[in-house]
Amino acid sequence: MKPEDDTNEESLDPQDWNAMRALGHRMVDDIMSYLETVRDRPVWQPLPRQVKEYMQQPLPRQPQGAESAYRDFLKNILPHPMGNIHPRFWGWVIGTGTPLGALAEMLAAAMNPNLGGAEHVANHVEGQVIDWCKEMMGYTNDASGLLVSGGSMANLVGLTVARNTKAEFDLRRQGVPAAPRKMILYGSVETHSSVQKAVELLGLGGDALRMVPVNSKYEIDIPCLKKFIAEDFAAGYYPFCIIGNAGTVNTGAFDNLSELADICEREGMWFHVDGAFGALAALCPELMELVHGMDKADSIAFDLHKWLYMPIEVGCALVRSEEDHRRAFSLTADYLAHGGKRGLIAGSHWFSDYGIQLSRGFRALKVWMSIKEHGIEKYGRLILQNVRQANYLARLVDSEPDLERLAPVPLNIVCFRFMAEGMNDDALNQLNQEILIQLHESGIAAPSYTTLNGKYAIRAAITNHRSQRDDFNLLVSEVVHLGKKLTKEKD
């Protein structure tokens, strides 16, 4: 047998670095122009049939080249976004990103480190960002933390630590079935669905999550919560955790975090705060009262790609006890042994000990660079600006005879609907759903929706640093225009 010919070894680096460099410069110029002119385009447009068909092409077997791939991106991808970078996008709770954040993503991808562990600078960047997050939240300096994909994963991390720490047995070794008593958690009916997903994934079962009613402000009903806890103790169950909401997804309501913390301390329960976007109200002196008591939490979950306007994806989980956090996740195989004083394996703090991922991207860089670019006080001003814009929108709604506001506006979410004389709620629900769809399809604006007390609401969640007051004037005028037009067509 002839020896294998190894003279034709390949690489994925470009054969012509100058051509790749020129393409890269063009990409940066194109995307900066795209961001600069975002207001000139529709928020969203229906995806053309030919684009959907194009995305069903077979696997490329042979090279098409970087230039060709970029041309395809410009033609078939860039013109058809979700729209969340647009000033009139207020759907769900999705941030807008920034130009420097986008460039930071490119730099992070070029370095391409794995932040599972080892001794390299990216891990220290994440460590600093986590320390900054603790300072932003007014949290204890010696707390633990982890950057994750978003609030859903941050909730899973926090609740995993809660379950394992409060279990009355060695849960990691024996598993949930060994529990001497059924473990119970509590959250309001406004609690985000990611919490139920986490509870199910943790093997506790959806029935373990007691959904507590809310008051007229959509805050957890404290007397009802206490009643539920007492009844569960009496029934032989084990209440071990309360989830407090710092900004509910439907209306932006805040539970009384201080009182929830006191209940947890009194009953020996874990206190977890889901602050997906509302926790960042802590950055604004005018809003800090809303998060009073959050610093007492055993764990906090929040997103940086929502109300800190970072490019998706980056969230954060903070845990008061570093020991509890590490004990819930650490599992070090022989090939991952670490803690030495020399070499790449040096460093005792490996982030893989604090979550389920071993392979972890460099999420921290865009946060680190963005905070250095603007300073954290500017982010606080932008958060307050969004809250004031929500109050402005609420005033517009309240002053318009054809509109009805459906919930209080404690923060940055406004829920309202168009009213038509003589229509019952079912007809109004259908009418407002059609108004929303036409807003989307026209490209004018992209609020989202929810249902409050059986009423379909047009829901504007304002986490957008590009929005201006004129954008809300346009939203209200278009809702009224569409509502009147559709009502007339029904007559």
Side-chain angles (χ1 to χ4, degrees), residues 261-331:
D262 290 343
I263 294 171
C264 285
E265 184 177 8
R266 188 164 58 248
E267 300 290 352
M269 300 169 69
W270 187 277
F271 182 33
H272 175 75
V273 171
D274 179 4
F277 65 96
L280 288 160
L283 295 179
C284 183
E286 293 87 344
L287 303 173
M288 285 185 66
E289 184 61 27
L290 291 170
V291 295
H292 181 66
M294 185 172 67
D295 60 319
K296 299 178 183 179
D298 295 295
S299 53
I300 306 173
F302 56 99
D303 282 306
L304 302 172
H305 59 224
K306 287 178 179 168
W307 225 358
L308 218 60
Y309 315 103
M310 302 293 170
I312 295 168
E313 57 185 30
V314 58
C316 184
L318 297 178
V319 180
R320 178 175 297 279
S321 168
E322 185 276 336
E323 182 181 355
D324 288 344
H325 191 182
R326 177 169 35 82
R327 192 167 52 227
F329 289 102
S330 182
L331 182 64

Side-chain angles (χ1 to χ4, degrees), residues 14-70:
Q15 293 183 342
D16 186 340
W17 279 99
N18 286 332
M20 181 60 76
R21 182 175 287 108
L23 179 61
H25 285 302
R26 212 165 82 225
M27 289 177 174
V28 170
D29 286 341
D30 288 346
I31 210 64
M32 289 299 125
S33 295
Y34 182 78
L35 292 173
E36 184 181 15
T37 60
V38 62
R39 184 175 283 278
D40 301 334
R41 297 187 295 275
V43 180
W44 178 85
Q45 293 282 278
L47 198 58
R49 176 182 50 80
Q50 60 268 29
V51 171
K52 293 181 181 180
E53 291 175 352
Y54 181 80
M55 293 304 162
Q56 298 173 6
Q57 60 185 302
L59 174 69
R61 295 289 179 179
Q62 299 300 324
Q64 297 175 359
E67 287 273 359
S68 175
Y70 183 55

Side-chain angles (χ1 to χ4, degrees), residues 217 219 248 251-254 287 290 387 391 407-413:
K217 296 180 180 179
E219 304 161 346
T248 60
T251 65
F254 281 74
L287 303 173
L290 291 170
V387 171
N391 290 329
V409 183
L411 200 62
N412 65 326
I413 296 176

